[in-house]
Amino acid sequence: MDEGEQRSQRHVRRTVSMLGACLATTSAGTVYLFSTYGPALSHRLGLSSSQSNVVAISANYGLLLSGPLFGWAADTIGPRVLSLIAAVGSFTAFTALAYTYSGAWQMPSWLILSLYMVLVGLSAQSANMAAVTTTTKNFKQNRGSAVSLCIAFFGLSPFVLSHVNTVFFAGDEPDTFGYLRFLSFLGLVTSVAAAGCLTVVGFGPSRYVSVPPGFVVDRPPSSSSSSGLLSDRDDESVYGAVKAASTTVREVGEGSTGSSTTAEPAPVNVASNGVDYDTARDLGGWAYVNDVEARLLMLVLFLCAGIGIFYNNNIGTMVNAMYYSSTPHPEARTAQRLINHHVAVVSLGSFVGRLTIGIVADMCKRIWRLPRSGILVVITACVLVSQLVVISATTLPSLLVGSACTGLSYGFTFGFVPTLVSVWFGTRHFGANWGVTTVFTGFSGQMLGAVFGRVYDANLPDRDPAQCPQGSCYRAAFGLAVAVAVGSVVAAAVLAKRRARRRRDNRRRWEAEEIEHVEYVPFVLAE
């Protein structure tokens, strides 16, 4: 097979894999749908606001605490097995929720619901890690845009499915049982389809034949092709060709006349796959956990993502309070439609944020050489603005603006941080690193959700949302959300300062021609 045919085959496989990644994240997005069925489930089973918060956040615990495990699995056993795990888990969890809601299955304790939601989160994380890790290892030059597109479907899924609920299941008597059964089959079908599409193809053609001292060869680890990872044969043939080309360049330099020194390997346009200069330090495991910049990045995600998780889990309660306290003759059908509308707006905002931030960041880096760490500071400022809008909302239309801003900033965060992890710390251990980065974000969402539940229950002891004019019964909880957002801005600013110092130091060493002594040298100094 000639070079052109190989390139065409890689392109087709990469495109099919990208389609599978979008299917997988669509399935994973069902973890954010609790607000569309949570209020009905809580009402049917007689749960308090605090109990409902625990049930809702359990899905996030399953999603986030399993990140390191499924990230390691994505790096080692490949994406296909993870997709099949997601298919079985999602079908089982939503089926259990449906039959518990209908009364066909007895519920000895409301904590059983929490276990079902943990399974929802585990399934979502399995599908998400399969998709994001595969996409990260398949793209190099346009990695930010590719990862953003993949993750964008994670945010788009709740938007589409909340509208499906509104059109097909939110009638005069909302069919929550039918909706949950629909979600169970959706997770099964999409995850199985993703398993057939996902495979690690590797990076596109590189412009460089060798990697000089001080640079990191950023490539996925080899494994069995049946798992969806690169095969040993593909791995060896690619890098053998690159090594041979590099040797040729050196021999030409050594054999040329008029030069008393050995010529350095020069950048040459070639069609080799998988090797390119990279700005990453190849960190993984404890080296990653103990790195100060990695910890600051974890802290930023911990604070920003917690706000988004908390808002997603409680928007249904907030809309109910606003609607029932401002309407003389409220209807359950209208309340459900309003909840679906807000969930859809949050989801759409998240989708737009995840999709656009990667493209914008890539453009800023290529055209204006703006550092990614500075863009992270802007994103945390957007999170702060969104919470200021929410805390000042006193009507349903103004709360809708807050929902849009919160969804957009949440999408910015989760669409951008994975790219930072891969660019700053390499793709060899990306799955495990990204899992560790996200593992604690559920705790910040739980903390804010617990405060929200206590404030809400304290102000409404009889649980009557009609007694909560203009959201007064829960507004105090968002004071803490604003404080958390301020903390994220400070953490991002500290991280940006450290990254600026690293760039200056690298540039000084580069200009002093001390490349062989530098562990981390960025090809583009603006990261």
Side-chain angles (χ1 to χ4, degrees):
M1 185 181 297
D2 62 28
E3 182 180 307
E5 291 177 346
Q6 289 178 346
R7 185 184 297 112
S8 177
Q9 186 180 67
R10 285 197 303 269
H11 177 73
V12 171
R13 292 172 61 196
R14 192 175 291 112
T15 301
V16 172
S17 184
M18 191 71 209
L19 175 62
C22 293
L23 286 174
T25 50
T26 297
S27 173
T30 56
V31 73
Y32 293 134
L33 286 171
F34 182 80
S35 289
T36 62
Y37 58 82
L41 190 67
S42 300
H43 178 74
R44 174 68 66 90
L45 302 176
L47 304 183
S48 68
S49 178
S50 296
Q51 291 172 337
S52 181
N53 257 292
V54 172
V55 172
I57 203 67
S58 296
N60 295 111
Y61 280 144
L63 175 75
L64 300 169
L65 295 182
S66 63
L69 173 62
F70 286 124
W72 168 83
D75 287 335
T76 54
I77 66 176
R80 293 173 181 167
V81 174
L82 291 187
S83 295
L84 294 177
I85 292 173
V88 174
S90 181
F91 178 79
T92 302
F94 282 111
T95 298
L97 286 171
Y99 284 103
T100 301
Y101 172 84
S102 69
W105 292 6
Q106 296 300 315
M107 186 185 68
S109 169
W110 63 272
L111 292 175
I112 299 297
L113 288 179
S114 298
L115 295 179
Y116 296 156
M117 294 303 295
V118 167
L119 185 55
V120 170
L122 290 172
S123 305
Q125 186 64 282
S126 182
N128 181 55
M129 277 298 178
V132 176
T133 302
T134 302
T135 304
T136 300
K137 294 179 178 181
N138 279 347
F139 293 88
K140 176 74 161 91
Q141 189 174 7
N142 299 309
R143 185 184 300 161
S145 302
V147 172
S148 293
L149 176 62
C150 170
I151 296 179
F153 278 84
F154 203 162
L156 181 65
S157 175
F159 170 75
V160 175
L161 295 177
S162 62
H163 273 293
V164 170
N165 184 25
T166 298
V167 174
F168 296 104
F169 299 101
D172 293 331
E173 291 294 331
D175 184 11
T176 303
F177 173 79
Y179 179 56
L180 290 170
R181 289 292 288 155
F182 165 75
L183 293 179
S184 69
F185 283 103
L186 178 73
L188 177 66
V189 173
T190 55
S191 295
V192 169
C197 297
L198 286 172
T199 183
V200 176
V201 183
F203 298 147
S206 174
R207 295 173 296 164
Y208 305 98
V209 296
S210 65
V211 179
F215 284 88
V216 173
V217 178
D218 188 19
R219 60 185 175 91
S222 60
S223 180
S224 171
S225 60
S226 62
S227 67
L229 296 174
L230 281 174
S231 66
D232 292 333
R233 181 178 179 183
D234 291 341
D235 194 54
E236 293 173 359
S237 63
V238 165
Y239 296 102
V242 172
K243 182 177 180 181
S246 179
T247 302
T248 301
V249 172
R250 285 194 293 270
E251 290 175 350
V252 169
E254 292 170 355
S256 53
T257 60
S259 176
S260 60
T261 60
T262 301
E264 292 293 326
V268 180
N269 289 327
V270 297
S272 301
N273 182 31
V275 178
D276 205 345
Y277 292 137
D278 191 59
T279 62
R281 293 176 293 159
D282 192 16
L283 298 184
W286 287 112
Y288 176 77
V289 173
N290 292 327
D291 186 78
V292 175
E293 292 176 5
R295 289 183 174 183
L296 284 170
L297 190 58
M298 292 180 202
L299 178 60
V300 171
L301 185 65
F302 173 81
L303 298 174
C304 292
I307 291 173
I309 292 169
F310 148 70
Y311 193 87
N312 269 303
N313 290 337
N314 291 282
I315 185 60
T317 302
M318 295 160 60
V319 171
N320 265 341
M322 283 275 194
Y323 172 69
Y324 280 97
S325 64
S326 61
T327 305
H329 306 288
E331 298 179 352
R333 176 184 180 182
T334 303
Q336 184 61 54
R337 288 183 179 274
L338 287 171
I339 292 172
N340 291 344
H341 186 50
H342 276 259
V343 171
V345 168
V346 172
S347 175
L348 183 60
S350 179
F351 169 75
V352 172
R354 293 170 195 243
L355 182 63
T356 58
I357 190 61
I359 299 173
V360 171
D362 284 347
M363 289 179 60
C364 289
K365 172 181 172 294
R366 291 181 183 178
I367 299 175
W368 299 292
R369 301 292 177 89
L370 297 179
R372 289 186 174 94
S373 53
I375 298 174
L376 184 64
V377 176
V378 175
I379 290 173
T380 56
C382 291
V383 175
L384 175 58
V385 170
S386 71
Q387 296 313 290
L388 291 174
V389 173
V390 172
I391 199 172
S392 62
T394 57
T395 63
L396 282 171
S398 58
L399 183 62
L400 189 64
V401 175
S403 294
C405 292
T406 301
L408 190 66
S409 61
Y410 186 66
F412 285 160
T413 303
F414 261 104
F416 190 59
V417 176
T419 302
L420 296 183
V421 173
S422 66
V423 170
W424 290 350
F425 305 102
T427 61
R428 185 183 300 272
H429 307 287
F430 171 78
N433 289 348
W434 176 233
V436 170
T437 304
T438 61
V439 70
F440 296 113
T441 54
F443 292 105
S444 57
Q446 174 65 62
M447 174 188 68
L448 292 169
V451 171
F452 180 93
R454 286 184 176 274
V455 170
Y456 185 89
D457 289 340
N459 291 326
L460 292 179
D462 57 354
R463 304 179 191 174
D464 181 10
Q467 304 303 315
C468 181
Q470 299 181 335
S472 58
C473 61
Y474 61 76
R475 181 166 289 108
F478 281 92
L480 179 59
V482 170
V484 168
V486 171
S488 72
V489 175
V490 174
V494 173
L495 177 57
K497 185 176 180 180
R498 288 186 62 89
R499 295 295 302 181
R501 185 164 58 247
R502 180 182 293 279
R503 290 194 302 275
R504 288 194 300 269
D505 185 54
N506 286 334
R507 181 164 187 167
R508 177 185 61 80
R509 296 185 182 187
W510 175 276
E511 292 175 348
E513 297 182 353
E514 298 176 0
I515 299 175
E516 63 274 17
H517 304 299
V518 182
E519 296 180 357
Y520 167 62
V521 180
F523 177 65
V524 178
L525 292 177
E527 300 178 11

